[in-house]
Amino acid sequence: MRLLALVDCDNFYASCERVFRPDLKQVPIVVLSNNDGCVIARSKEAKAMGIKMGIPWFKVKKSYLAQGGKVFSSNFALYGDLSKRVMSILEGMVKKIEVYSIDEAFLDLQHVQNINHAHEFGIYCRNTIRQWVGIPVRIGIAPTKTLTKVASHVAKNTSGGMGVCCLSDQKDIARILKTLPIKEIWGIGHNLSRQLNQLGIYSAYELMQMDIRLIRKKFSVVLERTVRELRGESCIQIEDHCDPKKQIVVSRSFRGRIENLSALKPLISNFAVRAGEKLRQEKQKCSQVSVFISTSRFNQQLQYRGFDSFQLPCPVDDTRSILMGANKILNTIFRKGYPYAKAGILLSHFSHSTFLQKSLFEAKDQRHLKQDTNLMQTIDALNDTQTQVYYASQYPARLSPIQKDMVSPKYTTNWWELPTTK
DNA sequence: TCTGGGGTCCTAGGACCC
DNA sequence: TCTGGGGTCCTAGGACCC
């Protein structure tokens, strides 16, 4: 039998914060989103205190801190670096691996003979990562991706299993699916869960028993795949190469509210500059730039969402052209008198840098379009070091509207923030 | 007072073609 | 006068993921 494994880091961001703070071993830890807005990660102890995922920080701050909890602003430089270390260990262990997110990877266990061997591999894998990086992981092993997710869920909720759960026996699988609510299944979100409940389907087992044709007809091929995967039929393959991105988004909520166009402009420019950098890292060019601005979802009285796109006459990766497009759109979608809470930029319609499609009406269309690869390479190289080159419209220079009050040091990615010992 | 950010895939429907 | 059928491509919107 072909077996797959899902390696999933426990409470990843909270665990990362703990790696260099052994004094926080038993202490509840939460990590906050940008602007210290929501709780986006919780240690086991914080979960036990009833802190919910995604809850606004201001709602729980007082009682959480009073009970001795520790809080961190998000430190993605640290999390990204520790993630790389975990993934590179896994890459050394198997031939085929899909890094699915910052804290998860699917492995193809083609080298594993049987389920006992798989379990041993899981334990070995877990111990190695724990020892070499200091991050605890749990491992779900099963014949399909969806079932590895189930196994990982079981591994999380049973303390005796050493964080490794193997699911290959049909009877075992059926027994577990009977107790698993459908909303816990990978691929079934809030909406599908509600719709299925209306049809009287509550457990994963009931879903698995449903008629495939009915699923396809009433829902979609996506849910059909999920059902087949629950039955042990592998439909979702391990993707061990990553496809080029199809869009790049840079967006942020603001700490306060912004009403003026003049205050919004430099922020949008900052997003555009960052998006341009990402685009060039991906070695892509885009021919569509979109901008959105919106008021708070939670402001019942005054709501407005502005969104529009600008088509560039040919694909570019020059920040100046992106800025030009972004600025034009911002002027058209901006409405006076609204307290804006969030904005962003979206680049799309990509083509690879080396296959450049020329416009038929080049001379006319491209008069205002700037594209200078050497200039962009130079600016990127300078910004990679201490030097910072800004575009005029970013004024005031990269002044961040983002607040991070409680961020830990970049222990592993900045020379000046290395951990020290006495 | 204060509510994250960045992605993917699928489908329906419209425009257009012969 | 009578006005079909089959296909592709694109986009917006909805659903999901971490």
Side-chain angles (χ1 to χ4, degrees), chain A residues 153-154 173-182 184 203-205:
Chain A
H153 186 262
V154 174
I173 293 176
R175 181 173 50 80
I176 283 161
L177 295 188
K178 277 178 187 166
T179 63
L180 189 70
I182 45 171
E184 303 293 338
S203 73
Y205 185 77

Side-chain angles (χ1 to χ4, degrees), chain A residues 60 140 180 194 198 200 222 248 257 278 317 344 380:
Chain A
V60 293
L180 189 70
R194 194 169 34 84
Q198 281 167 4
V222 184
I248 287 172
R257 300 291 174 253
K278 286 181 166 189
D317 67 0
D380 287 340

